[in-house]
Amino acid sequence: MSTATELAASASLDFTLPQELTVIALCALTAFISHMALAVFNDGVRPFMLDFIQGRTTRTATTAVSFGLSAGFIFGLGAPMALSSGVLNPWLLFLPTDVLGLLSPKKWLAPILGGAWGAVVVFALGGANNLAHDLPVDFLTAMQQMSTPILFLFTLFPVLAITKQFGRKWGAISGVLELALVVMTMKLWPDMFAGALAMAVGVLMLIGLAVRRDLKQRAADRAAALENGTAADDGKSGEEAAEDPMASLFSASAARLRRYLPLFMLLGAGVCLLAQMRIFGGGEATSFLIAKGHISEAAQVDFYRVFGFIPLIATTALASGAYGIAGFTLVYPIGYLLPNPFLALVVGAAVFALEVLALSWIGRILGRLPSVRDSSEHLRSAISESLQLAILFGSLMAANAMGAGLGILIVGGLYLLNEAMGRPVVRMAAAPAAVIVGGILLNVLYWLDLFTPVKG
């Protein structure tokens, strides 16, 4: 219960003027960049951007795709996470500006719409937060029960990834090792997030196993080539690459993004500045860590996530010509750790410049390391699976805190109904959305004198 009390004290969503202006300006910029089809935050939308860029589909159709893939995350995950943790997140800020930027018919209108959304977030969210806390059934405080399962179950994502890619033996070894490290951290360093060291070792173990497999395969290929009397060729010849339509597309996409390098540097500066202000978290676990003041652990968690997303973002950017709004997300952990906003602006711009300039090189490297590339896919899958369980379990804990058995019946019932209906709300967002709907319904029942709130 101390965790919920600690979070309750911090989940105020009250911002200073510089913080408000930063959020508004960054939302305006991201909407403008989305309008220009230079970058979007939603990884699922990026593959559709090539047809839009090349004029094979309309702005309206692309906007419909973006809204359909983003709405559940905005209202089912982004808003509930911000309200329960008191920390902003990319689903709440950048998914709406994806949609608003693509929706805007005029270039000048896009930043106005994006800035307006930023203003809604910084000015209206705090009021909604305060109003919800004054209700007889305070479902936002109850939602802070999600923090413990999210933080601790998220720790297991490297174990899941190792098991899927390298089998049960390595999965068991990594699981036992992570459990031992969590117990040791709790015993020796009680002020440190217990999963921090375990995640570090797990991710390093996954990368080490992947690199070892790739090096062994490369050595085997070279030996086979020598045995057959031919030279091992790690890649295509220059003439073959020139004739390869995918290589041509990748080259054109990289060149397109480099033309707008100053705009990307401005974007990197803005995202890094927002992270440095400690009012923003790049992920579910990160939001609660920042809310608790565990900044170095938050940086560590988001740094590990980078390994799962670099291959995805690099390949989709090269294939579509549209980059990620947060780039490779390296600016998140870097921003958390920087001591002042001026340094964040400079470093953020430099990081984005390096990322955009290195895209083609990264694509070539990933092509030569298939196991490392596969590891990123297993990491993303493991992160999603661990968070889905953690969010569902945490949402049921929140339901119990606000309404005991009746709360569990309503929230669990809404989640199961969403599953039975074919998931109109994406699974990751369904449980938090059910907590909010359930909290509102319990308040209605209280006003009808049909429910007595659970005593906290």
Side-chain angles (χ1 to χ4, degrees):
M1 188 60 69
S2 60
T3 298
T5 305
E6 183 181 359
L7 283 170
S10 62
S12 61
L13 288 168
D14 293 328
F15 305 107
T16 64
L17 180 60
Q19 292 169 343
E20 292 169 349
L21 293 176
T22 298
V23 171
I24 293 170
L26 185 57
C27 285
L29 176 62
T30 53
F32 177 75
I33 289 175
S34 172
H35 174 86
M36 298 280 288
L38 291 172
V40 289
F41 181 76
N42 194 322
D43 295 321
V45 173
R46 202 170 301 116
F48 294 92
M49 297 302 290
L50 181 63
D51 285 340
F52 176 62
I53 291 168
Q54 296 183 347
R56 293 194 294 267
T57 189
T58 64
R59 182 173 294 277
T60 301
T62 308
T63 302
V65 169
S66 179
F67 180 79
L69 292 175
S70 302
F73 286 102
I74 296 168
F75 302 109
L77 188 62
M81 288 296 297
L83 289 168
S84 59
S85 67
V87 175
L88 301 177
N89 58 69
W91 307 287
L92 182 63
L93 294 183
F94 302 147
L95 288 180
T97 57
D98 278 1
V99 177
L100 292 171
L102 290 169
L103 176 68
S104 174
K106 301 291 182 182
K107 188 182 296 187
W108 59 265
L109 182 59
I112 294 175
L113 293 176
W117 174 254
V120 168
V121 170
V122 295
F123 295 123
L125 207 61
N129 181 69
N130 295 333
L131 177 63
H133 282 305
D134 290 336
L135 292 172
V137 180
D138 184 357
F139 55 87
L140 292 187
T141 296
M143 287 184 72
Q144 290 160 5
Q145 298 289 331
M146 291 195 301
S147 64
T148 299
I150 285 177
L151 290 175
F152 279 87
L153 287 176
F154 184 75
T155 301
L156 291 173
F157 78 86
V159 176
L160 301 181
I162 290 171
T163 305
K164 288 185 174 184
Q165 188 170 7
F166 298 103
R168 297 176 183 176
K169 182 186 78 171
W170 283 111
I173 292 171
S174 62
V176 171
L177 182 59
E178 280 212 5
L179 177 60
L181 289 171
V182 168
V183 173
M184 183 181 73
T185 303
M186 295 176 75
K187 182 69 175 177
L188 300 179
W189 306 290
D191 294 332
M192 177 180 173
F193 168 51
L197 183 59
M199 279 190 289
V201 172
V203 171
L204 289 174
M205 189 174 176
L206 174 66
I207 295 172
L209 289 169
V211 171
R212 187 185 73 157
R213 175 179 285 183
D214 281 333
L215 291 177
K216 287 177 67 176
Q217 185 61 49
R218 293 278 292 276
D221 290 344
R222 282 194 295 268
L226 290 172
E227 185 177 340
N228 294 329
T230 59
D233 186 6
D234 289 331
K236 298 179 180 179
S237 68
E239 185 178 348
E240 288 173 322
E243 294 172 355
D244 185 349
M246 287 305 295
S248 177
L249 173 62
F250 280 20
S251 177
S253 296
R256 177 178 187 264
L257 296 176
R258 287 196 297 268
R259 285 200 300 272
Y260 293 93
L261 188 62
L263 194 58
F264 282 114
M265 292 175 69
L266 183 61
L267 175 62
V271 176
C272 195
L273 174 62
L274 183 66
Q276 194 278 330
M277 289 179 164
R278 316 279 171 78
I279 60 169
F280 173 88
E284 300 88 346
T286 316
S287 295
F288 286 114
L289 286 169
I290 289 176
K292 295 179 178 183
H294 298 319
I295 305 303
S296 60
E297 288 91 340
Q300 184 179 335
V301 167
D302 271 355
F303 179 71
Y304 300 147
R305 291 173 68 110
V306 170
F307 294 104
F309 286 90
I310 283 181
L312 172 68
I313 294 168
T315 53
T316 55
L318 289 169
S320 68
Y323 198 41
I325 285 294
F328 294 146
T329 69
L330 270 171
V331 287
Y332 293 164
I334 291 172
Y336 303 150
L337 297 175
L338 291 175
N340 64 71
F342 302 105
L343 191 58
L345 290 169
V346 175
V347 173
V351 168
F352 254 53
L354 290 173
E355 289 182 6
V356 172
L357 292 173
L359 264 179
S360 295
W361 177 79
I362 291 171
R364 289 194 298 270
I365 292 297
L366 290 173
R368 298 176 181 178
L369 296 172
S371 294
V372 173
R373 193 169 62 246
D374 290 345
S375 292
S376 73
E377 296 177 6
H378 288 298
L379 271 177
R380 290 198 310 276
S381 174
I383 287 171
S384 295
E385 289 178 9
S386 60
L387 285 174
Q388 281 174 6
L389 177 61
I391 290 173
L392 174 59
F393 187 64
S395 296
L396 291 175
M397 290 173 63
N400 182 65
M402 69 183 183
L406 181 59
I408 292 175
L409 172 66
I410 294 172
V411 172
L414 288 172
Y415 180 86
L416 292 173
L417 182 61
N418 183 70
E419 290 285 308
M421 294 171 64
R423 300 191 198 118
V425 179
V426 292
R427 180 177 282 169
M428 187 84 77
V435 174
I436 291 181
V437 173
I440 294 171
L441 181 57
L442 288 174
N443 277 291
V444 172
L445 292 175
Y446 168 80
W447 289 322
L448 294 175
D449 201 23
L450 297 174
F451 172 72
T452 301
V454 175
K455 293 181 179 180

